[in-house]
C-alpha cells in the first residue's frame, strides 16, 4: 500500500532522464494524459495513466483535472542582499552602462557596502520573501550564492544566512560560494585571492556551508588565470565549480570552465558559435539568464545556437538587485522562449532536469519512479500555459518531497 496517490491529473509532463551528458536531451518530453502519481517516503513509487493503477493508498487526493510538471529548479540566484539598486536603474535609463556604473563605485560595490555589515539573521530575514516568491512561481529547488560580503567574515555570514533560510523555507536550497568582485590593484588582487584560497574556501568546506564555488570572469572582474587558481583550490577542497562568464567579453572563462569540468558556465550572452560547440562536446551545462538581457538591454544568450550545437541548456532567474530583479522561475522560462529562441518543451527541460544537473543534482527535475516527489500543479489543464502566461501566476499547488506546501 502506498502512502499517497494523486489522481485527477489532466497530464503529467516531464523530461526524460539524463542522457550522455549530465543534462537531458533538449525538449524530449514524456506526456501522460489522465495520470496518477503514487508517493512513498517523499519519493515517487509509481506514475502512469490512472486507469492502470492497481494498488491501494492510505490517502487519495484528486487534483481536479489540472496539469502537473516537475518542481522547477532555479540554478542561479543571488537572493541574499541588503539595500537596493534603484539609483543604478535610474542611471541606466539615462544611458549609463553596467560597467560604467560599476567603475563609479555603484553596482556590485554598492550592494557590498549595504550587505557586508548585516548579520546572518538580518540577511536571512531580508531574503526570505524573495525565496518564497520563487517558490510560489514553481521553484522547489533554488541555488543561492554569496558574493556580496566581500570580506572573509561577511562571506561566511552570507552562507550562514542561507543555512538559516533552509530552516525557514519549504523549498530545497543549494548554497554556492561566489568569488564575485575583486580589488583594483594587482597586488591587492593577489592578496585577496590568497585569502580566498587559503582561508575562505577551506573554512567553507570545513563547515559545509556551500556545495560549489563560483567565480565572476570578466575584464572588470577576475581573469581566467585568477579563476583557474581559485577553482583548483575549490576542487582540492572537494567542492564543485561554476563560472559567471562570457557576459560582456570573451576572456577565456568558458574554455576554462569546460577544461576544468565545471558543473555549469553561466550567462554566455557573448558566446560564439565555436564556443557553443565547445560546450556541446563537454559535460558542462550552459546556463542562460534571460532576466539580465531584459533588464540591462543586452543581446540575449544564444540559446538556440547552443541547443542546435548539442549543448545541454539550463535557465535561471539570476535574481539579484542590480541586473535581474526577476522573482519568478516560470517567468524566466517564458522569457527564454521569447528572447533566447527555445521551444516550450526545451524551456521546460532547461528549467527542470538540466537546471538540476547544473547544480550536480540527479534526484530532482523530472517525474519518474525513484525521484523526489517535487511537483507543480498548474491552474491550467495544459502545461504549455506555464511558459505562455506572463504577469499572472498560474501555479496552483507546490509539492516538495510529497508534501503539499502552504501557499
Amino acid at each position: 500500500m502506498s502512502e499517497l496517490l494523486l489522481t485527477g491529473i489532466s497530464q503529467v509532463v516531464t523530461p526524460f532522464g539524463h542522457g550522455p551528458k549530465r543534462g537531458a536531451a533538449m525538449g524530449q518530453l514524456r506526456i501522460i494524459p489522465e495520470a496518477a502519481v503514487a508517493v512513498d517516503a517523499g519519493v515517487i513509487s509509481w506514475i502512469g495513466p490512472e486507469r492502470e493503477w492497481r494498488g491501494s493508498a492510505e490517502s487519495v487526493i484528486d487534483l481536479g483535472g489540472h496539469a502537473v510538471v516537475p518542481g522547477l529548479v532555479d540554478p542561479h540566484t543571488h537572493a541574499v542582499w541588503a539595500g537596493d539598486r534603484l539609483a543604478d536603474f535610474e542611471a541606466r535609463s539615462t544611458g549609463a552602462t553596467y560597467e560604467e556604473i560599476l567603475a563609479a563605485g555603484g553596482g556590485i560595490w554598492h550592494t557590498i557596502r549595504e550587505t557586508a555589515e548585516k548579520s546572518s539573521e538580518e540577511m536571512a530575514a531580508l531574503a526570505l520573501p524573495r525565496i518564497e516568491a520563487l517558490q510560489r512561481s514553481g521553484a522547489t529547488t533554488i541555488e543561492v550564492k554569496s558574493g556580496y560580503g566581500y570580506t572573509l567574515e561577511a562571506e561566511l555570514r552570507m552562507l550562514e544566512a542561507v543555512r538559516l533560510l533552509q530552516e525557514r523555507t519549504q523549498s530545497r536550497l543549494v548554497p554556492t560560494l561566489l568569488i564575485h568582485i575583486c580589488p583594483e590593484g594587482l597586488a591587492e588582487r593577489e592578496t585577496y585571492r590568497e585569502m580566498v584560497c587559503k582561508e575562505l574556501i577551506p573554512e567553507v568546506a570545513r563547515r559545509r556551508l556551500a556545495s560549489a564555488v563560483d567565480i565572476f570572469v570578466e575584464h572588470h572582474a577576475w581573469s581566467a588565470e585568477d579563476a583557474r587558481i581559485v577553482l583548483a583550490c575549490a576542487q582540492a577542497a572537494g567542492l564543485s565549480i561554476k563560472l559567471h562568464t562570457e557576459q560582456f567579453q570573451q576572456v577565456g572563462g568558458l574554455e576554462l570552465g569546460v577544461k576544468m569540468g565545471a558543473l555549469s558556465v553561466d550567462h554566455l550572452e557573448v558566446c560564439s558559435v565555436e564556443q557553443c560547440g565547445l560546450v556541446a562536446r563537454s559535460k558542462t551545462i550552459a546556463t542562460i539568464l534571460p532576466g539580465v538581457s531584459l533588464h540591462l538591454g543586452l543581446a540575449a544568450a544564444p540559446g538556440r545556437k547552443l541547443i542546435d550545437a548539442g549543448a545541454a541548456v539550463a535557465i535561471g532567474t539570476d535574481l539579484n538587485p542590480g541586473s535581474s530583479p526577476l522573482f519568478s522561475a516560470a517567468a524566466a522560462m517564458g522569457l527564454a522562449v521569447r528572447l533566447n529562441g527555445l521551444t516550450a518543451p526545451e524551456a521546460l527541460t532547461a528549467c527542470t532536469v538540466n537546471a538540476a544537473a547544473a547544480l550536480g543534482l540527479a534526484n530532482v527535475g523530472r517525474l519518474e519512479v525513484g525521484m523526489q516527489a517535487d511537483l507543480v500543479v498548474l491552474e491550467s489543464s495544459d502545461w504549455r500555459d506555464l511558459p505562455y502566461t506572463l504577469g499572472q501566476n498560474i501555479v496552483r499547488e507546490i509539492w516538495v518531497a510529497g508534501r503539499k506546501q502552504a501557499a
Side-chain angles (χ1 to χ4, degrees):
M1 177 179 288
S2 292
E3 294 177 5
L4 172 66
L5 182 69
L6 300 175
T7 65
I9 302 171
S10 65
Q11 53 180 200
V12 163
V13 182
T14 180
F16 288 99
H18 291 234
K21 301 179 183 296
R22 291 192 180 101
M26 294 299 301
Q28 295 182 14
L29 302 181
R30 180 189 183 196
I31 300 178
I32 308 171
E34 299 178 357
V37 179
V39 179
D40 288 285
V43 173
I44 296 172
S45 56
W46 185 90
I47 187 169
E50 187 175 338
R51 66 180 181 276
E52 296 181 7
W53 170 252
R54 298 292 182 268
S56 59
E58 298 174 10
S59 176
V60 179
I61 297 177
D62 189 332
L63 296 183
H66 298 279
V68 168
V69 299
L72 304 184
V73 178
D74 192 339
H76 187 126
T77 85
H78 305 255
V80 177
W81 77 79
D84 62 55
R85 298 266 277 279
L86 298 178
D88 292 0
F89 178 57
E90 184 177 9
R92 278 198 305 276
S93 72
T94 61
T97 68
Y98 178 93
E99 292 158 297
E100 288 169 347
I101 292 168
L102 185 64
I108 296 168
W109 287 118
H110 174 76
T111 302
I112 287 171
R113 290 192 296 272
E114 294 290 321
T115 306
E117 298 304 318
K118 298 292 184 183
S119 68
S120 296
E121 178 62 41
E122 288 172 321
M123 286 188 266
L126 289 168
L128 182 58
R130 302 163 192 155
I131 296 295
E132 291 174 338
L134 288 172
Q135 179 176 293
R136 288 193 297 272
S137 77
T140 55
T141 299
I142 302 166
E143 187 252 22
V144 185
K145 302 180 191 294
S146 68
Y148 294 133
Y150 191 63
T151 66
L152 170 67
E153 295 79 9
E155 285 294 308
L156 293 174
R157 286 199 301 273
M158 286 196 74
L159 293 172
E160 289 165 353
V162 180
R163 184 167 284 179
L164 289 173
L165 281 167
Q166 184 61 87
E167 299 171 358
R168 302 171 190 181
T169 188
Q170 299 152 346
S171 292
R172 187 179 297 102
L173 304 185
V174 180
T176 296
L177 170 63
L178 172 59
I179 312 305
H180 207 174
I181 205 71
C182 58
E184 290 295 328
L186 180 59
E188 292 82 1
R189 177 181 298 208
E190 291 178 353
T191 299
Y192 187 89
R193 190 185 67 204
E194 184 175 6
M195 180 276 290
V196 167
C197 290
K198 292 187 177 181
E199 299 179 62
L200 180 55
I201 289 175
E203 184 66 7
V204 167
R206 184 186 71 81
R207 295 171 56 184
R208 298 182 179 179
L209 287 172
S211 58
V213 173
D214 191 353
I215 188 165
F216 185 26
V217 180
E218 291 286 348
H219 280 317
H220 56 272
W222 296 97
S223 70
E225 177 57 19
D226 288 323
R228 183 192 64 77
I229 294 169
V230 168
L231 297 178
C233 290
Q235 290 178 321
L239 300 172
S240 299
I241 61 170
K242 305 165 70 71
L243 295 91
H244 282 58
T245 191
E246 287 7 69
Q247 182 179 6
F248 299 105
Q249 302 97 17
Q250 296 175 1
V251 294
L254 182 147
E255 290 80 2
L256 176 72
V258 168
K259 182 178 181 180
M260 295 188 71
L263 286 175
S264 68
V265 286
D266 300 27
H267 275 291
L268 309 184
E269 284 86 352
V270 297
C271 179
S272 69
V273 171
E274 293 75 19
Q275 289 174 313
C276 290
L278 183 63
V279 177
R281 293 189 295 273
S282 76
K283 293 182 178 180
T284 296
I285 305 297
T287 299
I288 60 176
L289 308 167
V292 177
S293 302
L294 179 68
H295 190 68
L296 295 185
L298 301 176
R304 178 77 268 139
K305 291 179 181 178
L306 283 159
I307 292 171
D308 289 346
V313 172
I315 297 166
T317 62
D318 194 17
L319 172 60
N320 75 78
S323 61
S324 185
L326 180 61
F327 292 76
S328 169
M333 180 192 301
L335 290 175
V337 173
R338 292 159 174 85
L339 300 180
N340 303 97
L342 276 66
T343 66
E346 289 167 346
L348 182 64
T349 301
C351 283
T352 53
V353 61
N354 283 1
L359 298 177
L361 302 177
N363 64 340
V364 297
R366 59 191 194 277
L367 301 178
E368 57 188 62
V369 172
M371 301 293 290
Q372 289 286 309
D374 293 356
L375 312 151
V376 174
V377 183
L378 304 180
E379 293 287 359
S380 174
S381 61
D382 190 320
W383 78 272
R384 292 172 296 183
D385 267 320
L386 187 60
Y388 168 78
T389 303
L390 296 176
Q392 179 179 357
N393 187 10
I394 68 160
V395 173
R396 181 182 181 87
E397 297 175 8
I398 300 290
W399 292 70
V400 179
R403 293 180 179 272
K404 182 180 175 181
Q405 305 302 313

